[in-house]
Amino acid sequence: MEDAQDLDAYTLAKSYFDLKEYDRAAYFLRGCKSQKAYFLYMYSRYLSGEKKKDDETVDSLGPLEKGQVKNEALRELRVELSKKHKARELDGFGLYLYGVVLRKLDLAKEALDVFVEATHVLPLHWGTWLELCNLITDKEMLKFLSLPDSWIKEFFLAHIYTELQLIEEALQKYQSLIDAGFSKSTYIISQIAVAYHNIRDIDKALSIFNELRKQDPYRIENMDTFSNLLYVRGLKPELSYLAHNLCDIDKYRVETCCVIGNYYSLRSQHEKAALYFQRALKLNPRYLGAWTLMGHEYMEMKNTSAAIQAYRHAIEVNKRDYRAWYGLGQTYEILKMPFYCLYYYRRAHQLRPNDSRMLVALGECYEKLNQLVEAKKCYWRAYAVGDVEKMALVKLAKLHEQLNESEQAAQCYIKYIQDIYSCGEIVEHQEVSTAFRYLAQYYFKCKLWDEASACAQKCFNFNDTREEGKALLRQILQCRNQNESPSADLPATAAFFLPQSLSANNTPTRRVSPLNLSSVTP
């Protein structure tokens, strides 16, 4: 009955709402009694406040002034929705809006309870599930939530596992959904590609995205993630084609602007790239990817204050964005503020515990702060989890070298050389020459002439160590002529290294203790 009474006002207001004239829509819905009209009335007021906030944010586009702008309507909305909530007069959509208002006011616990209630009242409202995702910080928190037993809960669990970097569990969930009859869902295919992107399996993610493009050629969602992968691989022609293609489909989409921004960034046109990321943020100021990418561009342009502000905005949108935390760490590192960058790198490490880049960055911070024990732990853990950049062992070796722990330093250099030779990347790693030079000198001190000679000869392959290698060979020859025998009291490392074979069995005998940062405060 109420719906019929409010129908004319609702239809008129809905037309204004669709035209984004939110204040006008709210004006014509005053006094309406139906649930549908009440939700549109409150939602129009909320969006009006958000629009005004966004307009002020855009007007102060110098990134330093942005953080202080607030939605003035939130407190009033909270008071009114709270009364309705206590009287149990809110439907699923009303509860969703109440939860959003509470989250915006940083009342996370109350918001979480309201969103859980909303999922029970209206389980198929995906927006509520997505808002719930933003408030869940770990798997333990997820276990204690009382969620409705609905098929859409499986989609939610797969999504939150991806967000929490629990990729194996996420992929299992998506596979079970495919087996249950969603095999042709392009949403699931794109989420699987995003999951592989998150664990840096770039080839697998690219192949899935290429397959997705064949199935759904006019799709724009997630194409910014696809462009990130093309950027990392340095595939200029493919990225150019993607940018032109999305421009033809819809050039006023956030994802399109991000793809074009990535294209210009790959061409080292950082001002143009930043301009397109700003365009993306004018279209949607809460678009996470654009804030992070804009931070990267400001870093390239050496504008550290703007980069810091962009990364902070990214964290406001999503506290689980490890790239923003890592970016802040890098920015403060440039500013030579090691205590700050230690804090941000630790946050990034908590979000990506098995990412060697975070651990190496943490190790460098501890080194600068002269906390060498913690630095050693970080470098060893970075190597143990699979060192992407193949630098952890070198940094660990140099640390041992600095502390005059020559045996441990030699062990690290040996293992480093074995790893580099086994993956065939010798040319790209300038530190190989450093390793051979150190080992040649180490074996020389141990009076192991054959090993020292072999390492010194390896130094000939590198410009920076060639002369030192020649000088050392001359010294070895002199010592051999004087019939100096190897020292009887040799350290254990002496038996490890056979440069000719670079045997894979040569592993260090001493292990650094596993990483434990719980007792360390920034």
Side-chain angles (χ1 to χ4, degrees):
M1 186 66 186
E2 285 175 348
D3 281 355
Q5 285 175 351
D6 296 338
L7 184 61
D8 288 347
Y10 174 81
T11 309
L12 176 63
K14 182 68 170 64
S15 302
Y16 293 138
F17 182 90
D18 292 340
L19 292 167
K20 298 187 179 179
E21 295 185 33
Y22 302 121
D23 288 329
R24 204 172 175 192
Y27 178 80
F28 284 100
L29 287 166
R30 290 169 310 145
C32 289
K33 304 290 182 195
S34 69
Q35 292 273 26
K36 195 192 286 186
Y38 180 73
F39 168 72
L40 191 63
Y41 168 63
M42 298 301 277
Y43 196 44
S44 296
R45 287 171 61 190
Y46 165 74
L47 286 179
S48 169
E50 285 293 294
K51 187 167 182 284
K52 285 164 187 167
K53 185 188 87 169
D54 293 344
D55 289 345
E56 281 184 52
T57 305
V58 170
D59 290 342
S60 63
L61 203 58
L64 288 170
E65 298 91 21
K66 284 186 180 178
Q68 316 310 317
V69 188
K70 304 285 181 195
N71 181 348
E72 299 297 335
L74 291 176
R75 294 189 185 282
E76 286 177 32
L77 290 169
R78 184 198 168 195
V79 171
E80 291 178 41
L81 287 165
S82 175
K83 286 176 187 170
K84 287 269 187 184
H85 183 237
K86 282 173 186 167
R88 299 196 170 279
E89 291 176 8
L90 291 177
D91 63 355
F93 291 109
L95 287 166
Y96 160 75
L97 180 59
Y98 185 35
V100 169
V101 169
L102 289 170
R103 186 176 69 77
K104 289 273 188 179
L105 290 167
D106 295 323
L107 300 166
K109 191 179 181 310
E110 294 92 326
L112 189 72
D113 295 339
V114 171
F115 284 131
V116 169
E117 189 183 340
T119 59
H120 284 275
V121 175
L122 191 65
L124 298 187
H125 183 208
W126 184 237
T128 305
W129 294 101
L130 288 178
E131 287 291 340
L132 204 51
C133 274
N134 291 331
L135 295 171
I136 295 169
T137 51
D138 53 46
K139 199 176 179 181
E140 288 304 308
M141 192 174 175
L142 187 61
K143 280 180 188 172
F144 292 108
L145 292 181
S146 168
L147 298 170
D149 193 15
S150 165
W151 59 268
I152 201 165
K153 180 184 170 185
E154 298 302 306
F155 280 88
F156 163 73
L157 289 173
H159 184 83
I160 189 66
Y161 287 151
T162 307
E163 289 284 305
L164 295 172
Q165 307 295 328
L166 302 166
I167 303 301
E168 213 169 293
E169 290 96 322
L171 290 171
Q172 284 172 3
K173 282 284 176 196
Y174 283 127
Q175 190 54 53
S176 66
L177 286 166
I178 287 169
D179 296 340
F182 290 100
S183 58
K184 292 186 178 176
S185 166
T186 53
Y187 165 77
I188 290 178
I189 295 167
S190 69
Q191 287 300 107
I192 291 170
V194 169
Y196 280 114
H197 164 266
N198 286 358
I199 53 168
R200 310 281 296 174
D201 191 341
I202 294 170
D203 294 328
K204 183 81 173 167
L206 278 172
S207 70
I208 295 171
F209 269 122
N210 283 320
E211 187 57 39
L212 179 64
R213 294 265 295 157
K214 286 176 191 169
Q215 288 184 31
D216 192 358
Y218 292 95
R219 182 188 182 89
I220 293 181
E221 289 92 346
N222 304 111
M223 286 302 113
D224 51 335
T225 307
F226 183 33
S227 77
N228 290 342
L229 293 164
L230 295 172
Y231 179 94
V232 170
R233 277 280 180 265
L235 300 170
K236 262 188 205 173
E238 289 86 345
L239 189 50
S240 172
Y241 175 76
L242 180 66
H244 280 97
N245 184 235
L246 294 186
C247 225
D248 289 341
I249 297 167
D250 186 351
K251 65 180 175 184
Y252 296 113
R253 280 284 289 270
V254 179
E255 295 89 343
T256 304
C257 294
C258 287
V259 171
I260 296 169
N262 269 339
Y263 172 66
Y264 280 121
S265 183
L266 190 57
R267 292 182 58 180
S268 299
Q269 293 177 261
H270 299 296
E271 290 83 0
K272 268 193 175 180
L275 181 68
Y276 274 96
F277 294 135
Q278 282 184 354
R279 280 188 190 178
L281 291 165
K282 282 182 182 176
L283 292 167
N284 181 1
R286 294 192 61 76
Y287 196 73
L288 173 68
W291 281 118
T292 310
L293 292 168
M294 194 158 79
H296 296 342
E297 294 313 307
Y298 283 133
M299 282 280 284
E300 291 289 345
M301 293 189 278
K302 305 287 187 286
N303 187 347
T304 48
S305 61
I308 287 168
Q309 203 62 36
Y311 288 135
R312 286 193 191 285
H313 272 287
I315 289 164
E316 275 175 36
V317 175
N318 184 356
K319 286 186 170 61
R320 288 193 299 267
D321 182 26
Y322 77 93
R323 295 171 305 168
W325 292 108
Y326 185 63
L328 278 168
Q330 286 181 311
T331 313
Y332 282 111
E333 198 171 343
I334 288 168
L335 295 171
K336 293 186 170 51
M337 298 168 77
F339 277 106
Y340 277 82
C341 62
L342 178 64
Y343 170 75
Y344 292 115
Y345 283 144
R346 281 192 68 205
R347 292 298 296 262
H349 167 62
Q350 284 162 9
L351 292 164
R352 300 272 289 190
N354 294 323
D355 193 322
S356 63
R357 294 167 302 165
M358 315 298 151
L359 286 158
V360 169
L362 262 178
E364 287 172 345
C365 270
Y366 282 124
E367 213 174 323
K368 282 171 189 165
L369 295 167
N370 212 31
Q371 296 183 29
L372 301 185
V373 175
E374 299 302 333
K376 282 184 196 175
K377 288 180 186 178
C378 289
Y379 292 142
W380 181 257
R381 179 65 184 274
Y383 168 68
V385 299
D387 186 13
V388 176
E389 293 167 338
K390 299 270 185 286
M391 287 304 293
L393 280 173
V394 174
K395 290 182 181 295
L396 185 57
K398 286 181 177 176
L399 206 52
H400 285 308
E401 208 178 322
Q402 192 182 321
L403 295 167
N404 295 318
E405 298 167 354
S406 56
E407 187 184 336
Q408 291 94 323
Q411 289 172 1
C412 291
Y413 278 130
I414 289 163
K415 192 65 191 155
Y416 169 69
I417 289 171
Q418 288 169 357
D419 287 356
I420 296 299
Y421 269 73
S422 66
C423 66
E425 294 179 13
I426 309 151
V427 182
E428 296 174 24
H429 283 266
Q430 59 191 33
E431 297 293 346
V432 174
S433 61
T434 310
F436 277 124
R437 177 175 58 198
Y438 181 84
L439 287 169
Q441 291 165 349
Y442 174 76
Y443 288 126
F444 180 77
K445 284 173 192 167
C446 296
K447 299 182 182 177
L448 289 166
W449 312 128
D450 290 342
E451 286 84 348
S453 177
C455 288
Q457 283 170 359
K458 290 280 185 186
C459 290
F460 290 1
N461 299 333
F462 308 96
N463 292 332
D464 56 334
T465 54
R466 189 170 293 144
E467 293 307 316
E468 288 176 76
K470 285 178 185 176
L472 196 59
L473 273 179
R474 284 195 291 273
Q475 284 179 277
I476 292 166
L477 193 60
Q478 281 174 9
C479 293
R480 272 181 164 159
N481 291 339
Q482 290 166 15
N483 291 323
E484 282 191 39
S485 59
S487 169
D489 184 24
L490 288 177
T493 319
F496 279 108
F497 190 53
L498 299 170
Q500 292 86 350
S501 61
L502 290 162
S503 166
N505 297 323
N506 302 336
T507 51
T509 49
R510 292 186 186 176
R511 294 285 171 110
V512 180
S513 54
L515 183 64
N516 177 13
L517 299 178
S518 57
S519 62
V520 184
T521 52

